[in-house]
Amino acid sequence: MSNSFPLVSVDYGAEDAVMCGAALSESVSGPHGVRAQEEADDMEMDVEDAIDDMQEEDVEEEKAPSPPPVPTVTYKAPEPMGEHYFAESFDKGTLQGWVLSQAKKEGIDEDIAKYDGKWEVEEMKDTKLPGDKGLVLKSKAKHHAVSALLLRPFTFDTKPLIVQYEVNFQTGIDCGGAYVKLLSQTPDLDLEEFVDKTPYTIMFGPDKCGEDYKLHFIFRHKNPKTGEFEEKHAKKPDADLRTYYTDKKTHLFTLVLNPDNSFEILIDQTVVNSGSLLNDMTPPINPPAEIEDPDDHKPEDWDERPKIQDPDSVKPEDWDEDAPAKIPDEDAVKPDGWLDDEPEYIGDPDALKPDDWDEDMDGAWEAPQIPNPVCETAPGCGPWERPVIDNPNYKGKWKPPMIDNPNYQGVWKPRKIPNPDFFEDLHPFRMTPFSAVGLELWSMSADIFFDNFFVTSDRNVAERWAADGWGLKKAAEGAAEPGLVNQMITAAEERPWLWIVYVLTVALPLVLIIVFCCTGKKSPASTSAAEYKKTDAPQPDVKEEAEEEEAEEEDAKEEESGLIDKHKSEDDILRRSPRNRKLRKD
């Protein structure tokens, strides 16, 4: 056997290391056995220390388990995958292709007339997608205007129009808009001169001031007879829009216009408003065929009164118009103990005149009045007066009764004439072509985040763009959202009345379970025993009565079958009845 031990590095488990050390110590022999034994002992001690360290680490891991990792969503800039007219994700990090307005707004003070509001391309403050950039309105109480040309103008013909973009009110919104304008294609369109009066075809998007939450869809309709434009507003959505403005999440706003004149407005790919351009716009697209004649006037003798006072009615002779509505109750009697000479209120005897009271300036000082303590035990104080009651003879002011007006001619209305301005446009979808997208906004809130503008005529292409852009944001925000309990607590902080709902939801079922389990109908035996304890009346032996009834039933059956001998002895009969056996025994 060799006297030397090679050094071997093996990743054994703790128990294997102990067994290995023991085997080495037992196999040591020869003149160098003592040293080998010491080396083996040292190895065994090192292994034991390693085991202790491993056990301590296991205990620490059990005491403080690490939370599960939060799922991460990797951002990738969306790319348009089909026919489109405009696509902007701002992930280049610049405003390349966008034009800042250099104009001034007319009709307002010079100090605020200029469109000098700041725009930046940056990530959201609390972004869940590093690398995702957007256009941010940075300043408040300023006019902002920025725009960009489409790849080619959009013409309203046989294809639908889909416009969508994202908005995030990062710090909330007090008063301001986040809508987009589709600027009309005109020969004199200059994006550097973009102002509120620049012609647009459609204005679409959120707007809020105070507690008025709006989602605009406005288009400018051209009168085919006069050539003038008039704004047409879509009906107000029935959905509650408050959450979309206050939850500080990114929301996708989509407008869909179809060649059949139908429209849809969606938020986060859910329809919140829909209708027809012909029937659901204000004012209506087409004027009425007839109007009231402005030259027609109501005749002077036209009687519009459906009821009149009866001219033949006469006031009764016994009608007293001067009788009061209330009179003193003559049957009332002053209560015993009424203190006529005691006032209801007296000066506070403990009150002291202030040191700075100046009678020349403030007048004579009087103690403040307090209820008279003497009156607390009496039915009343001061001069007693009879209570008043309704006057049975009161009739009030006499008026003749009303009758139907025999000369009633109805409510007068001017006659109808053909509308000289009448036209009928059955295709309002055919709007003015537009060639640019613009944001022209005034806001009292900053840090409004815009992203992923898209204009197309293919709904599938729009949905793919939305999935690659807004869909990623939604997934990232959802992965970072707190659990259900935290969401409930946050909701209750905003709406304290929710705590009542939570308590009732949890406490009411518990109370019902306790009541159901701890109360119930008592059995007849327990009820009988309880009554016996209360009355101490003698009770029959239930068991003996049952046995007697069984024996009597057996006797009846045997008697019917002729098995009972009529000449049986008395002892046999007594033995058959448990009660007789008991009596005989006694």
Side-chain angles (χ1 to χ4, degrees):
M1 180 179 292
S2 173
N3 295 331
S4 63
F5 300 94
L7 299 176
V8 182
S9 176
V10 182
D11 293 334
Y12 290 106
E15 296 179 356
D16 294 339
V18 174
M19 294 175 64
C20 178
L24 285 172
S25 64
E26 289 177 0
S27 63
V28 175
S29 62
H32 301 288
V34 175
R35 189 180 69 180
Q37 179 67 34
E38 291 176 354
E39 292 179 358
D41 292 342
D42 293 339
M43 181 182 293
E44 185 175 351
M45 293 176 63
D46 293 339
V47 171
E48 291 177 353
D49 292 340
I51 293 172
D52 293 339
D53 294 340
M54 293 172 65
Q55 291 176 344
E56 290 177 359
E57 291 177 0
D58 292 340
V59 171
E60 291 178 359
E61 290 179 358
E62 291 177 358
K63 289 182 178 179
S66 58
V70 177
T72 58
V73 179
T74 304
Y75 177 71
K76 181 182 178 182
E79 296 181 4
M81 304 294 289
E83 181 183 5
H84 64 283
Y85 296 82
F86 188 79
E88 178 61 84
S89 66
F90 300 101
D91 291 316
K92 300 183 299 290
T94 66
L95 275 173
Q96 180 181 354
W98 291 78
V99 179
L100 295 173
S101 175
Q102 306 298 320
K104 291 183 179 181
K105 194 170 184 177
E106 297 180 1
I108 61 174
D109 293 339
E110 185 71 18
D111 296 338
I112 60 173
K114 192 173 182 180
Y115 284 88
D116 56 354
K118 302 298 180 184
W119 298 94
E120 295 289 346
V121 175
E122 61 187 18
E123 295 183 3
M124 279 191 291
K125 290 185 175 182
D126 187 21
T127 184
K128 305 298 185 298
L129 278 177
D132 177 26
K133 295 182 175 63
L135 178 65
V136 182
L137 182 149
K138 297 295 295 182
S139 49
K140 60 183 179 179
K142 294 280 188 179
H143 290 287
H144 304 73
V146 64
S147 55
L149 290 172
L150 273 62
L151 298 176
R152 61 188 182 281
F154 183 92
T155 302
F156 295 87
D157 44 27
T158 59
K159 294 182 179 181
L161 168 66
I162 297 100
V163 181
Q164 67 184 27
Y165 67 105
E166 301 168 13
V167 178
N168 187 313
F169 298 107
Q170 299 185 86
T171 58
I173 179 73
D174 293 325
C175 186
Y179 43 79
V180 62
K181 288 184 176 181
L182 308 181
L183 305 183
S184 301
Q185 182 185 20
T186 58
D188 57 348
L189 177 61
D190 183 359
L191 299 187
E192 289 191 351
E193 296 298 319
F194 178 30
V195 293
D196 58 323
K197 295 183 179 179
T198 300
Y200 68 88
T201 301
I202 291 175
M203 189 176 92
F204 166 66
D207 188 12
K208 186 248 184 184
C209 198
E211 291 301 313
D212 190 8
Y213 298 86
K214 297 179 180 178
L215 181 54
H216 292 298
F217 165 40
I218 306 170
F219 79 94
R220 296 172 70 244
H221 179 258
K222 184 177 181 180
N223 188 313
K225 294 191 69 173
T226 64
E228 297 180 354
F229 285 89
E230 184 180 23
E231 289 185 348
K232 307 294 182 180
H233 297 248
K235 63 179 182 178
K236 188 175 181 180
D238 295 330
D240 185 2
L241 305 177
R242 181 187 302 267
T243 302
Y244 303 113
Y245 296 75
T246 59
D247 61 4
K248 299 181 182 179
K249 294 182 180 180
T250 303
H251 295 290
L252 178 68
F253 294 86
T254 306
L255 171 65
V256 180
L257 289 179
N258 298 305
D260 64 357
N261 299 318
S262 63
F263 70 87
E264 287 183 330
I265 298 174
L266 302 90
I267 303 180
D268 299 344
Q269 298 182 324
T270 299
V271 177
V272 297
N273 197 5
S274 62
S276 168
L277 299 178
L278 288 169
N279 304 321
D280 299 299
M281 306 301 292
T282 303
I285 298 295
N286 298 309
E290 292 184 329
I291 61 172
E292 295 179 348
D293 184 359
D295 298 327
D296 190 17
H297 301 285
K298 183 173 68 173
E300 294 182 358
D301 59 349
W302 190 276
D303 196 340
E304 292 182 320
R305 301 171 300 165
K307 297 280 187 180
I308 60 172
Q309 293 181 350
D310 185 0
D312 299 329
S313 180
V314 179
K315 182 176 70 171
E317 295 181 358
D318 60 348
W319 192 283
D320 186 1
E321 293 184 347
D322 299 328
K326 299 285 185 178
I327 58 174
D329 184 4
E330 298 297 335
D331 297 330
V333 179
K334 182 171 67 174
D336 294 337
W338 188 280
L339 305 178
D340 297 85
D341 299 331
E342 289 287 344
E344 292 186 49
Y345 293 90
I346 61 172
D348 186 358
D350 299 327
L352 299 175
K353 183 173 70 173
D355 295 337
D356 58 349
W357 187 274
D358 187 347
E359 293 191 356
D360 294 335
M361 298 290 295
D362 303 323
W365 181 81
E366 294 181 359
Q369 298 288 299
I370 62 171
N372 191 343
V374 177
C375 300
E376 293 180 0
T377 57
C381 290
W384 180 79
E385 296 179 356
R386 296 180 182 276
V388 294
I389 59 173
D390 293 333
N391 184 359
N393 298 321
Y394 173 74
K395 296 182 179 180
K397 186 75 174 177
W398 182 84
K399 294 180 181 179
M402 304 296 290
I403 61 172
D404 293 333
N405 184 1
N407 300 320
Y408 176 64
Q409 296 175 272
V411 178
W412 182 86
K413 293 181 180 179
R415 63 175 174 266
K416 296 282 188 177
I417 61 172
N419 185 358
D421 298 325
F422 174 73
F423 64 85
E424 189 174 40
D425 181 3
L426 300 179
H427 305 285
F429 172 78
R430 298 172 185 173
M431 304 176 191
T432 305
F434 63 92
S435 58
V437 172
L439 296 169
E440 188 268 318
L441 306 170
W442 165 271
S443 177
M444 293 302 295
S445 302
D447 295 315
I448 302 176
F449 184 92
F450 299 87
D451 200 6
N452 294 331
F453 289 88
F454 200 66
V455 179
T456 183
S457 58
D458 191 326
R459 195 155 186 170
N460 292 328
V461 175
E463 290 177 353
R464 181 178 298 178
W465 172 269
D468 294 342
W470 174 77
L472 278 180
K473 287 189 180 72
K474 182 181 179 183
E477 291 174 351
E481 282 184 353
L484 177 61
V485 175
N486 290 335
Q487 293 183 30
M488 293 174 64
I489 293 175
T490 303
E493 289 176 353
E494 297 177 357
R495 304 173 182 86
W497 54 267
L498 283 175
W499 287 114
I500 301 175
V501 177
Y502 297 160
V503 171
L504 292 177
T505 304
V506 176
L508 187 58
L510 291 177
V511 171
L512 292 176
I513 292 172
I514 293 172
V515 171
F516 180 77
C517 294
C518 297
T519 62
K521 188 175 180 181
K522 296 181 179 179
S523 64
S526 61
T527 304
S528 177
E531 292 177 355
Y532 174 65
K533 277 184 169 291
K534 291 178 181 178
T535 62
D536 288 338
Q539 300 294 315
D541 191 336
V542 178
K543 184 176 181 182
E544 291 179 356
E545 286 184 355
E547 292 177 354
E548 180 181 359
E549 291 175 359
E550 292 177 1
E552 290 176 355
E553 289 177 1
E554 292 178 4
D555 290 344
K557 291 179 181 178
E558 293 177 358
E559 186 174 357
E560 290 175 0
S561 60
L563 296 178
I564 298 179
D565 187 359
K566 295 182 179 180
H567 302 288
K568 284 186 178 181
S569 65
E570 182 181 357
D571 291 339
D572 293 336
I573 297 174
L574 290 173
R575 282 195 301 269
R576 296 184 64 85
S577 173
R579 174 175 291 184
N580 290 339
R581 288 199 305 268
K582 185 175 185 299
L583 293 172
R584 188 175 183 186
K585 182 178 178 181
D586 294 340

